[in-house]
Amino acid sequence: IDDNILAGWTVVSISIIAIAAAFNNHLNHQGQQSPKLMELYLWALTAVLASVFAAGHILLHGNVAAFGGRGVVNIAINLFGLILLFSHMLALICYTDRFRFFCTFVLISSAPLIAYQFTQPANLMLKPHNLLADFYLFFMLFCGYKLHKTRMKSAWLVIRNENLIDYMESSKEQTEHVNTQLEEEMRQRVYIEEKLQESNTHLEEKILERTQD
């Protein structure tokens, strides 16, 4: 591959990533955005970033194996493979709760590699580097699926815990209110008992006075 083409791809890809990062920062400072607008933006961003790596695949003839077709180590291919792996790991982290976007990114960025394998004869598709690439693709999708499920379970547990905390706080407030009412009733009963005792004492005094008369 021509070094100038590879350098141009690197500059373009870094520029797109930098622009996306700056735009994301701008959106974060803007505050709450429309959910539909944000979803459209994420779809567009995912497609653009994945297309950048797909273009890198095309430039490198869709081969990210450790060895080239001539049995020699290709530094450019290995470097691109590491960059692609790093991008998939970042997508795995960023799209933990958005599995559809992660699948889209992985499949689009790996589409030239998949197409390259299907253009080969059947006996070459079973070569170790092709099997390794297929295993890597399925492994990344499986990891994304499992992390997505784990993330959803964690979010559900958080919501459930928050609801439980709200219920406990509400129950505590109700209990305190009931205790306050009971204390007030006890004070009223003590007051009434004191009044009754005073009335009985007064009545007994009157009875004693009349009997003495």
Side-chain angles (χ1 to χ4, degrees):
I1 185 173
D2 189 354
D3 292 339
N4 293 328
I5 296 177
L6 186 60
W9 174 84
T10 304
V11 171
V12 171
S13 60
I14 292 175
S15 300
I16 292 176
I17 292 173
I19 292 172
F23 192 69
N24 287 339
N25 187 42
H26 175 71
L27 288 178
N28 290 333
H29 283 87
Q30 287 292 323
Q32 189 69 24
Q33 301 292 332
S34 171
K36 292 184 178 180
L37 181 62
M38 286 302 300
E39 186 170 359
L40 288 174
Y41 167 72
L42 287 175
W43 278 118
L45 179 63
T46 301
V48 170
L49 292 178
S51 299
V52 169
F53 289 100
H57 265 301
I58 295 173
L59 292 176
L60 293 171
H61 309 291
N63 189 355
V64 294
F67 294 92
R70 298 176 181 175
V72 295
V73 176
N74 191 321
I75 297 177
I77 289 176
N78 280 276
L79 181 61
F80 178 78
L82 290 175
I83 294 173
L84 185 65
L85 174 62
F86 181 69
S87 70
H88 287 170
M89 294 301 293
L90 284 179
L92 190 62
I93 296 171
C94 297
Y95 289 148
T96 302
D97 55 345
R98 298 177 184 271
F99 182 63
R100 295 178 301 165
F101 294 96
F102 175 72
C103 289
T104 302
F105 180 82
V106 172
L107 292 176
I108 293 178
S109 61
S110 304
L113 175 62
I114 299 172
Y116 172 77
Q117 290 185 11
F118 280 106
T119 58
Q120 294 181 330
N123 59 334
L124 295 180
M125 292 181 65
L126 298 178
K127 281 193 171 183
H129 65 271
N130 286 332
L131 294 176
L132 182 62
D134 294 335
F135 174 78
Y136 165 78
L137 181 61
F138 284 111
F139 178 74
M140 290 301 296
L141 293 176
F142 176 76
C143 288
Y145 175 77
K146 295 299 290 185
L147 283 177
H148 172 68
K149 287 297 183 181
T150 304
R151 167 69 175 173
M152 295 301 293
K153 289 181 180 179
S154 300
W156 182 79
L157 287 175
V158 169
I159 294 173
R160 185 177 178 182
N161 288 337
E162 289 178 351
N163 291 336
L164 183 59
I165 291 172
D166 292 339
Y167 174 76
M168 294 297 293
E169 290 179 352
S170 176
S171 299
K172 182 180 178 182
E173 291 177 357
Q174 291 179 357
T175 304
E176 291 176 351
H177 180 66
V178 170
N179 288 334
T180 303
Q181 287 182 340
L182 288 174
E183 291 175 356
E184 183 65 25
E185 289 179 1
M186 290 297 294
R187 284 194 295 267
Q188 289 179 359
R189 286 184 179 183
V190 170
Y191 176 76
I192 292 172
E193 288 178 357
E194 291 176 354
K195 289 296 183 182
L196 285 173
Q197 186 66 33
E198 290 178 0
S199 297
N200 289 334
T201 304
H202 184 65
L203 183 59
E204 290 176 356
E205 290 176 354
K206 283 188 176 183
I207 292 172
L208 287 174
E209 289 176 357
R210 286 184 180 183
T211 52
Q212 288 176 359
D213 293 339

